[in-house]
Amino acid sequence: MLLLTPDSLLDPHGALRPFVCEALDAIGQMRGETGVRLAFALVVRSSNDAAAVLSTLRELRLPAGPSQVIETNKPGVDATILRELQERFAVNDPASECVLIDAGPGSTDAALPPGLPKLLLEETGADGMSGWLAMLLKIARKTGRNAAENLQLVLPVLAAAEGVVDLQQVSFRPERIEAEGHCLISVEDSALGALSGLFLNLPTSFVIEQPDSPHPVAFKEVAEDTIKEAKAYIQSLRANGQLEMAPGEAGQAEAGELEGMASPLLGQPTHYVETDETGRRILRRRGFN
């Protein structure tokens, strides 16, 4: 069972930490060593702390409610927590059945049962994780005989966070995962003119083996032939007037090439360039995105 502090879920400004929603959703589907689904409780100092966190979680439809709250700021708190863990959550030995997830040094865990294992966000060392993606990977690997099944739940989350779509698992081991999929890759070449740096969804492969890395997914180099084909594809679209650029953007037609506009022979352009919120210019096909 996971015991979560408010600091593990919210940043110092009160906003949810990156990927915490995706992580908790995946954790809710995992099974522990005994085959029982993993559960979590929110460990708070007061009801006010609980209300702030629960309000945020409910807005995002995460599975959290007052029944999952344990308050540490109560008389006889040690006995209260031990009793609540046993009666409400069927936990008899917190030291072996629970893990506390917190964000760096804090006093929330001061009243918790002694010997409780801890995993810390934004900390270094064996028990420190850089963020929720790394934490999710760490938790899955600690679930004993069900780790392989749980890692398969984690893999799509980690891949999606890096922009991988059409995920295809290639090989899978507890300490190393190699997979393939499609990812937005920047295609750069001076011959493309203003279209250099355009992002295309290209086949790529990646490996996951570092649980405490800020980005557990490490991409392998995209095949040279794949990049060469992508460049030729962009040039062909431009040369045949099938690539529509945004108003005012250069690079649609150069040196007398067609301008990507409708014509009696070619019809409307089949592709266009979209700029996303991060500033990436992405090649899109009409009717397919």
Side-chain angles (χ1 to χ4, degrees), residues 77-266:
V77 66
D78 288 344
T80 300
I81 291 178
L82 289 172
R83 184 171 61 251
E84 289 191 0
L85 285 173
Q86 184 175 30
E87 295 178 357
R88 291 168 52 192
F89 304 105
V91 173
N92 294 311
D93 182 12
S96 63
E97 298 177 51
C98 295
V99 60
L100 176 74
I101 297 181
D102 203 351
S107 58
T108 302
D109 60 325
L112 293 176
L116 195 68
K118 290 185 288 187
L119 292 175
L120 302 177
L121 291 164
E122 301 180 347
E123 286 289 303
T124 59
D127 295 326
M129 297 291 104
S130 58
W132 268 103
L133 291 179
M135 180 69 75
L136 183 59
L137 185 58
K138 182 83 166 183
I139 291 170
R141 283 177 165 158
K142 282 182 168 288
T143 52
R145 62 186 180 88
N146 286 305
E149 178 183 342
N150 292 333
L151 282 169
Q152 292 186 54
L153 294 171
V154 169
L155 182 57
V157 178
L158 300 182
E162 298 292 345
V164 178
V165 296
D166 301 327
L167 182 65
Q168 301 172 21
Q169 187 170 307
V170 177
S171 65
F172 178 88
R173 293 186 296 275
E175 295 303 320
R176 184 181 176 88
I177 302 170
E178 293 186 8
E180 294 182 351
H182 284 76
C183 185
L184 286 173
I185 302 294
S186 176
V187 178
E188 300 182 15
D189 191 324
S190 59
L192 296 175
L195 294 176
S196 180
L198 202 61
F199 281 81
L200 278 68
N201 255 324
L202 301 178
T204 184
S205 58
F206 61 91
V207 61
I208 300 174
E209 59 182 351
Q210 298 296 332
D212 56 352
S213 168
H215 299 283
V217 175
F219 288 99
K220 295 184 177 180
E221 190 170 338
V222 179
E224 185 177 341
D225 287 347
T226 299
I227 296 295
K228 186 180 298 184
E229 290 174 5
K231 293 176 184 177
Y233 185 57
I234 295 172
Q235 290 173 323
S236 174
L237 289 175
R238 183 177 62 181
N240 289 286
Q242 294 301 303
L243 179 56
E244 179 182 2
M245 300 290 287
E249 283 198 65
Q252 188 167 295
E254 298 175 12
E257 294 173 340
L258 294 171
E259 297 187 357
M261 299 174 63
S263 73
L265 294 177
L266 299 175

